[in-house]
Amino acid sequence: MWRVINYALQDVKKPATPEGGTMSRVAIIGNAGGGKTTLAIKLGKALRINVYPIDKIQWKPNWQRTSLAELKKKHDEILTTGKWIIDGWGSWDLIAERFKASDTIIFVDFPIHIHYWWSFKRQIKSIIVARPDLPENCPMLPKTWELIRVMRLIHRQMRPQLKNMIASFSEGRQIIVIRSPKELRRFEQQYC
């Protein structure tokens, strides 16, 4: 069974692994528009750990995809640094490697309508402010319809597979499931 810490119901002072150590290798994952990157940046500052958004290494300027070999090489280099926060997806193989190397997995699992709403707001905001988790010259608005399609695919097909994968890596690491914006705010207030 998962070792889930529900931050809406529990008052904990420091983020800690099941073994009592602090978070140092954190995988943050969930559907688009759930605030994963913002959470990663805040947590990285609080813990003084470098943050690596997968989208920033899996995409090059003008939405050119990084080769799988190059992506894997960069991902493996990050895992060897000892302390990291990795935000995002990538291939299933990379997710499994990341989970295996992590001491903490944070799964942002809001209802789909919240992911859609927050993504819509982010798409509009991207007209004015570039996203910190993407390379330069990757405008968001042209990708809006593709994003909606991918979000639906993630929620209906990939989310169940992701939940099973998280469960398979639950031994020896902390699993944090954040199911609502209220839980996200509480987690950020406690640790960021």
Side-chain angles (χ1 to χ4, degrees):
M1 192 66 200
W2 293 24
R3 294 179 61 135
V4 175
I5 297 175
N6 183 335
Y7 287 94
L9 304 175
Q10 188 172 348
D11 202 16
V12 181
K13 297 296 179 204
K14 293 265 184 194
T17 66
E19 294 78 28
T22 58
M23 294 181 190
S24 61
R25 297 176 316 279
V26 182
I28 301 177
I29 197 157
N31 208 335
K36 297 181 307 294
T37 300
T38 302
L39 173 61
I41 291 167
K42 288 179 180 180
L43 192 58
K45 286 179 183 174
L47 299 175
R48 297 186 188 117
I49 297 175
N50 288 331
V51 175
Y52 302 93
I54 287 294
D55 281 347
K56 198 160 194 162
I57 60 174
Q58 88 178 347
W59 296 106
K60 294 181 180 184
N62 299 311
W63 292 108
Q64 297 300 309
R65 190 174 287 278
T66 302
S67 72
L68 291 177
E70 184 181 349
L71 177 58
K72 180 170 177 25
K73 181 181 178 209
K74 288 180 180 182
H75 187 267
D76 290 349
E77 288 171 2
I78 294 166
L79 295 182
T80 64
T81 64
K83 289 186 174 187
W84 43 262
I85 297 174
I86 300 177
D87 148 46
W89 284 73
S91 70
W92 287 110
D93 291 342
L94 293 183
I95 295 169
E97 288 176 24
R98 188 177 326 141
F99 285 2
K100 185 178 180 181
S102 71
D103 57 45
T104 306
I105 299 170
I106 300 174
F107 178 29
V108 178
D109 189 29
F110 296 164
I112 188 65
H113 71 275
I114 294 172
H115 287 280
Y116 281 137
W117 175 240
W118 283 18
S119 288
F120 173 75
K121 291 191 307 185
R122 182 183 67 194
Q123 296 295 91
I124 298 302
K125 184 179 176 183
S126 74
I127 296 170
I128 301 165
V129 179
R131 284 182 45 191
D133 59 326
L134 290 175
E136 292 182 29
N137 297 322
C138 287
M140 287 301 302
L141 282 182
K143 294 288 185 177
T144 300
W145 293 114
E146 184 179 339
L147 176 66
I148 291 168
R149 184 187 60 76
V150 167
M151 289 172 66
R152 185 171 185 235
L153 175 74
I154 288 171
H155 187 74
R156 290 191 175 183
Q157 295 176 19
M158 298 168 77
R159 180 174 166 263
Q161 185 177 348
L162 178 63
K163 288 171 78 171
N164 288 335
M165 181 182 279
I166 292 170
S168 73
F169 284 99
S170 63
E171 188 68 34
R173 57 193 49 81
Q174 180 172 234
I175 306 297
I176 300 168
V177 180
I178 299 174
R179 294 184 179 96
S180 71
K182 182 178 179 180
E183 289 181 19
L184 179 61
R185 284 190 300 275
R186 180 156 178 154
F187 180 88
E188 290 175 346
Q189 288 169 354
Q190 289 180 344
Y191 304 115
C192 303

